[in-house]
Amino acid sequence: MVTRITLVEGDITEQQVDAVVNAANSSLLGGGGVDGAIHRRGGPEILADCRRLRASHWGKGLPTGRAVATTAGRLPARWVVHTVGPVFLEGEYEERAGLLASCYRESLRTAAELGARTVAFPAVSAGIFGWPPADAARIALSTVAEVLAGGDARAGAELAEVRFVLFGAEMYGVFEQARAELFGRDG
């Protein structure tokens, strides 16, 4: 199966996909940015599922770089995959870049375990967490491409499309440039 990596400028809460990835905070209880938008649009069902997760396995919150799924509530998706991106700290770049890549790998693995064929990602950590957008785009695209090329057969085997939903023309342009640099103009 050939999996497409697509870029769209838009609102991740409007994506009709199997799984929407939420750039969550570790509490899993909502927040600002993408996290707040997903919780607001998805409704109380998402928060209820998150509270169940906190009451069971994730009592101390979801660690950075990990992923977990809930219902999508009122979103036009089946599931929300919550992942916690790292805050950018230049002095800890290597470790934190690995955690950012892990967000994408773990989210794809979680989506695949659910049976998702289409997944929509935001630009994890590229907002309030301060990750430089060009580097966040490079890490996101190269990690997803590696997974889809067989770097993690469990995560990429059944996916038909991985969509990056980018808020605003500027972020879309950054991802488009990174894709061209990584894969060529036709990538």
Side-chain angles (χ1 to χ4, degrees), residues 11 13 132:
D11 182 343
T13 68

Side-chain angles (χ1 to χ4, degrees), residues 69-137:
T70 65
T71 180
R74 299 174 190 157
L75 295 173
R78 294 177 66 189
W79 303 285
V80 174
V81 175
H82 305 266
T83 191
V84 179
V87 172
F88 179 77
L89 293 175
E90 203 167 312
E92 298 177 22
Y93 177 81
E94 291 301 320
E95 175 187 348
R96 289 175 179 267
L99 288 170
L100 182 54
S102 180
C103 289
Y104 291 97
R105 278 193 300 276
E106 293 297 314
S107 294
L108 289 172
R109 184 175 299 125
T110 299
E113 288 170 358
L114 293 167
R117 298 192 30 81
T118 54
V119 179
F121 278 101
V124 177
S125 288
I128 197 165
F129 283 11
W131 208 279
D135 195 51

Side-chain angles (χ1 to χ4, degrees), residues 12 23 36 40 59 68 101-102 187:
I12 198 159
R40 279 189 304 278
V68 65
S102 180

Side-chain angles (χ1 to χ4, degrees), residues 58-69:
W58 301 108
K60 294 182 180 178
L62 186 65
T64 302
R66 300 292 299 272
V68 65

